[in-house]
Amino acid sequence: MSIIKVIIPAYNEADSIAHVINEIPDVVNEIIVVSNNSNDDTEVNAKQAGATVLTENRKGYGYACLKGITYISEQNIKPDIVVFLDGDYSDYPEELTKLIQPMTKNNIDFVIGARVKRLREKGSMTGPQIFGNWLATKLMALLFHAKFTDLGPFRAIKYDKLLALNMEDKTYGWTVEMQLKALKQNMTYTEIPVRYRNRIGVSKVSGTFKGAVMAGIKILGWIFKYGLKK
C-alpha cells in the first residue's frame, strides 16, 4: 500500500481548515498544514483536527509548499505520493482517492485535479481565473504539446518525481512551474475532473486585483521562460 502525505498551504484559514482536514480520506498517512504567516487560529484549529502543523513566515504559496517538502525530506520514512490541497475548502478532499488512482493503478507520475465547468459551483472561479487558466494551458499546448486544461492546486505527484523537479518558485508561479517541469522531464501525467465550490473566506490571489495581476505575470513568465529554452 502506498504511503501518502498531504501538504496544505494555509494563510488565515481558521474557518475552513478543520473541514478540509476532517474530510481527507483515511488512506493518507500524514496531513501537513503549513501556516503561511497566519495571524488567526489556523494553526490551533489544524492541530486540533489532527494535522502536523508547520510555520513559514515568508509569505508566498511556493514558500509554504517548499516548507512542507523540506519537512518530508527530513523524515525517516518517505512517502510514495505527495498530494497538494488548498486549505480554503474549495476542493472536495474526499476526492483524493480518485486523484491518486491513476498513480496506484496505472503508475502515472503526476495527476491534476481539473476544475471542469460542469463540476464547478457558480462563482467558484473568477473571470480572470478562468481566462488565465485557458491562456496558460493553450500556451502550454502550443509550446509543449501539453494536454493540460487547468492549473488546479489539487494535485498528486510521486515523491521521487517531485524531488526531481527541483521546485523553486516562492509565490504565484508554483503550480505552472510544476506542470512545465513535468513536461520537460517527460513525466507521465493525466487530469481527473474534480468538483469545485466557493471557498470559505476571501481568496488572497483571485480575490484581489493585485493578486490576480501578479499571478498572471508570474504564470506567463514561467511559460515563456521554458518556451524559449532550447
Side-chain angles (χ1 to χ4, degrees):
M1 184 174 289
S2 297
I3 298 174
I4 303 166
K5 300 202 175 192
V6 175
I7 295 175
I8 307 175
Y11 170 58
N12 287 348
E13 305 290 7
D15 295 335
S16 58
I17 196 66
H19 294 294
V20 176
I21 293 166
N22 291 333
E23 293 181 19
I24 292 174
D26 292 338
V27 296
V28 170
N29 299 85
E30 185 176 19
I31 301 167
I32 303 155
V33 172
V34 185
S35 175
N36 194 205
N37 209 27
S38 297
N39 54 27
D40 62 0
D41 289 331
T42 296
E43 295 177 24
V44 172
N45 294 350
K47 285 177 184 175
Q48 289 179 347
T52 298
V53 177
L54 311 177
T55 57
E56 174 53 75
N57 293 327
R58 293 170 296 182
K59 289 184 70 172
Y61 188 87
Y63 271 125
C65 291
L66 289 167
K67 182 82 169 191
I69 293 170
T70 299
Y71 165 80
I72 290 173
S73 71
E74 293 169 349
Q75 305 306 299
N76 291 327
I77 299 176
K78 304 298 190 289
D80 300 294
I81 297 170
V82 176
V83 177
F84 293 89
L85 174 64
D86 279 355
D88 59 14
Y89 203 50
S90 54
D91 295 301
Y92 288 74
E94 63 269 27
E95 292 192 312
L96 181 145
T97 51
K98 186 167 70 171
L99 205 67
I100 65 171
Q101 192 170 24
M103 308 176 80
T104 57
K105 299 292 185 184
N106 301 317
N107 203 31
I108 297 295
D109 296 326
F110 179 37
V111 182
I112 300 284
R115 300 165 293 182
V116 296
K117 185 177 181 179
R118 62 186 170 84
L119 298 178
R120 285 200 311 261
E121 188 175 283
K122 186 177 180 180
S124 59
M125 288 181 69
T126 65
Q129 272 184 299
I130 294 168
F131 175 75
N133 268 285
W134 174 83
L135 179 59
T137 55
K138 287 296 182 185
L139 286 171
M140 282 194 280
L142 179 66
L143 296 171
F144 308 103
H145 308 291
K147 296 179 181 178
F148 292 120
T149 65
D150 194 14
L151 306 179
F154 194 12
R155 51 185 56 204
I157 186 169
K158 290 178 182 176
Y159 176 64
D160 60 337
K161 299 296 183 181
L162 175 61
L163 292 185
L165 294 179
N166 191 27
M167 294 291 293
E168 57 188 286
D169 193 272
K170 310 300 193 299
T171 55
Y172 305 109
W174 174 270
T175 54
V176 74
E177 179 195 1
M178 185 181 291
Q179 284 164 254
L180 289 167
K181 287 185 171 180
L183 291 170
K184 280 287 189 178
Q185 294 186 23
N186 295 313
M187 292 183 187
T188 56
Y189 68 91
T190 191
E191 290 186 337
I192 295 294
V194 294
R195 293 175 290 165
Y196 198 68
R197 62 189 154 208
N198 285 284
R199 58 158 293 145
I200 294 176
V202 178
S203 172
K204 289 76 179 177
V205 179
S206 61
T208 66
F209 178 77
K210 178 185 176 183
V213 170
M214 292 302 293
I217 291 171
K218 201 67 178 287
I219 288 166
L220 292 177
W222 270 108
I223 291 172
F224 287 114
K225 172 185 174 182
Y226 272 79
L228 293 173
K229 281 187 174 183
K230 299 291 186 181

